Amino acid sequence: MKTQIKIEDCGTPFCTIHTPCETQGIKDIADKISRMDETGRNTVICGWDADYCIQVKQSDIFRIYSADKKVYMEALTGAGAASGDGTETLLVKMRLYEFEELAAKCGWTDFIRISNTDIVNFSKVTKLDMSLSGIIKVNFTNGKDAMVSRRYMNKIKDQLNMVRRKNNEKN
C-alpha cells in the first residue's frame, strides 16, 4: 500500500484514504486509525455491558469510578458518541490505579483522580461548583456530577495550573 505524509497547517491531524472501492480491509484500516491519537497510541478502552464488549474512545469517557467493589466507566457509546448524547455506564475490567497508570503511559493528561473512587476526564467538565462548604462539585457536559475529595484538591489545582501554563505556552 502506498503512503504519503503531507505537512500543512490543519489544526488536528486527520487521515484520508483514497481507494477505488470500499473493502472490509480498508474499513479495518480506517477503524484502527480512528482509534489512535496523533502519537499513534490506541485511544480505546473496553467496557462491558453484560456479555458485550464495547470499545470507547478515551475522548468519550466522562469518568471512571468504583462502586460495590467494581470499576465502572461513564461514557458516550455508539450512536450516542456521534451525536453527543447517550451516556452509558459500562463495567471496566481493571482497577482504578491500573487505569491511572494506563492514562499516564498513553499521555492522557485530562484524566485526574478527584477521590479514592473517582477519576474524571477534565475535557468533559463544564464547571467546578465551589458553593458547598469546602467541597467542590464537578459538573460534566452530560449534566451529571461528581464530588472532589479534599485530599485531592491540591492535585487538581496543580493539574489545572499545568493545563493553563501549557495553553499559555501554545499562544
Side-chain angles (χ1 to χ4, degrees):
M1 184 179 298
K2 185 175 126 181
T3 60
Q4 178 184 24
I5 297 175
K6 207 183 235 187
I7 308 298
E8 59 185 47
D9 187 20
C10 62
T12 305
F14 67 94
C15 180
T16 304
I17 299 174
H18 301 271
T19 180
C21 65
E22 189 175 29
T23 64
Q24 187 58 48
I26 295 296
K27 286 180 185 178
D28 291 345
I29 290 170
D31 185 48
K32 283 182 184 178
I33 292 171
S34 71
R35 287 186 266 138
M36 294 180 185
D37 62 9
E38 55 271 357
T39 65
R41 293 185 178 128
N42 197 350
T43 61
V44 173
I45 301 290
C46 289
W48 296 85
D49 183 14
D51 292 333
Y52 296 97
C53 176
I54 299 172
Q55 293 185 334
V56 180
K57 288 184 179 181
Q58 60 93 11
S59 60
D60 291 332
I61 299 171
F62 287 96
R63 70 185 188 132
I64 305 283
Y65 66 96
S66 65
D68 302 325
K69 297 184 180 183
K70 294 183 181 179
V71 178
Y72 299 95
M73 166 176 38
E74 210 171 87
L76 295 172
T77 58
S83 65
D85 57 357
T87 305
E88 257 191 274
T89 301
L90 305 169
L91 181 66
V92 179
K93 293 187 177 179
M94 65 173 69
R95 299 281 173 224
L96 284 175
Y97 76 88
E98 292 173 326
F99 179 82
E100 262 185 320
E101 290 170 359
L102 175 69
K105 188 171 103 181
C106 292
W108 302 341
T109 57
D110 289 339
F111 288 93
I112 303 172
R113 186 182 280 259
I114 63 166
S115 70
N116 284 340
T117 59
D118 260 304
I119 299 172
V120 300
N121 182 353
F122 260 80
S123 66
K124 296 286 189 185
V125 171
T126 55
K127 65 182 176 180
L128 299 173
D129 183 1
M130 299 184 192
S131 61
L132 298 173
S133 59
I135 299 173
I136 295 178
K137 184 165 69 169
V138 177
N139 295 329
F140 296 102
T141 55
N142 65 351
K144 295 188 179 185
D145 54 52
M147 296 299 196
V148 176
S149 166
R150 287 185 186 186
R151 175 190 235 181
Y152 290 91
M153 292 292 292
N154 288 334
K155 185 177 181 179
I156 292 167
K157 288 177 184 176
D158 290 344
Q159 182 69 24
L160 293 175
N161 285 333
M162 186 175 78
V163 169
R164 189 179 306 138
R165 276 190 300 246
K166 197 182 291 183
N167 288 340
N168 288 338
E169 291 172 3
K170 288 180 183 177
N171 295 332

